[in-house]
Amino acid sequence: MTRVLLVDDDLELSAMLKEYLAQEGFEATTVADGEAGVTEALSGNYDIAVLDVMMPRLNGVDALRRIRQESRMPVLMLTARGDDVDRIVGLELGADDYVPKPCSPRELVARVRAILRRTTSPESASDVDELTVGPLRLWPARREAHWAGEPLTLTSTEFTLLEVLVGAAGHVVSKNTLSEKALGRPLARFDRSVDVHVSSLRHKLAPRDDGRSWIQTVRGQGYQFVRE
């Protein structure tokens, strides 16, 4: 059974989400503050963590920062609706996705499933065993990436985005396509999730010899991974 860690000080909401998750076949554990959330997340007992941003003792952003120092477990953030700052910071720190509060249990479960689908039984965007462009090598089935011969640490979402871009290297991929393939949902208006994940990828990939990023923005169209 898939194990979900819910970290939120809203006890009524946590109880409702826990009950709904159980009905959907998940085993959920709830904790009410960030400190306890970090301890539980790093225990190795969970498949995914759902972190609220606003919590006592340690907020969700700081909790995520500490989790990412030691673990690449999937993390879904709960953010206040319209709070773009916390949302972007969370994605920059390695959150796989976010759900704005208030959210319906059905929406939360859909996001959890979309993330776990990529992590536990990934549907590769490519039908090849290995993708290579420049210093980058990807093994889609193993969800493994190397840059210049060294392992590349990526979140599940970052890996899928990179796989889609490299699989179409030399061609533009729309933001909506990237959102659907990497986040499991159509691109919403004003949603900057794809942009933030691409920015994170750019920081993890050394620039080309000419100083340009390997991932180029094509204004009004999307992104393109540059061929050599």
Side-chain angles (χ1 to χ4, degrees), residues 91 161 175 187 190-202 217 223:
L91 293 173
L161 278 172
K175 290 184 182 179
L187 185 69
F190 304 125
D191 188 348
R192 295 188 57 202
S193 301
V194 169
D195 301 313
V196 177
H197 286 303
V198 168
S199 177
S200 178
L201 283 172
R202 284 171 167 161
T217 301
Y223 292 103

Side-chain angles (χ1 to χ4, degrees), residues 55-182:
M55 291 187 294
R57 297 186 64 190
L58 189 71
N59 66 46
V61 171
D62 289 333
L64 174 63
R65 182 180 288 110
R66 285 170 53 176
I67 290 170
R68 280 291 174 256
Q69 290 174 353
E70 300 182 37
S71 172
R72 306 312 299 175
M73 75 178 297
V75 174
L76 177 68
M77 299 294 290
L78 294 177
T79 65
R81 189 173 296 276
D83 194 341
D84 291 336
V85 174
D86 284 338
R87 189 172 301 161
I88 291 172
V89 170
L91 293 173
E92 288 176 339
L93 289 175
D96 289 272
D97 202 359
Y98 69 90
V99 175
K101 294 175 71 175
C103 66
S104 69
R106 178 180 295 181
E107 180 181 11
L108 181 95
V109 168
R111 295 291 182 88
V112 166
R113 282 189 169 136
I115 294 172
L116 291 174
R117 193 178 302 120
R118 302 191 302 268
T119 307
T120 58
S121 56
E123 296 179 3
S124 174
S126 170
D127 58 0
V128 299
D129 295 329
E130 180 179 328
L131 293 169
T132 302
V133 178
L136 178 67
R137 298 178 69 190
L138 291 178
W139 294 272
R142 306 204 307 257
R143 307 287 286 177
E144 184 179 337
H146 283 190
W147 181 263
E150 297 296 325
L152 194 59
T153 302
L154 303 170
T155 66
S156 174
T157 300
E158 289 170 350
F159 185 95
T160 304
L161 278 172
L162 192 56
E163 181 187 355
V164 174
L165 287 167
V166 173
H171 301 278
V172 180
V173 183
S174 71
K175 290 184 182 179
N176 189 64
T177 295
L178 291 171
S179 182
E180 289 181 336
K181 290 185 177 295

Side-chain angles (χ1 to χ4, degrees), residues 205-216 224 226-227:
L205 307 179
R208 291 164 53 87
D209 292 339
D210 60 8
R212 295 188 303 157
S213 170
W214 285 87
I215 304 175
Q216 294 291 303
Q224 173 181 303
V226 180
R227 285 191 179 276

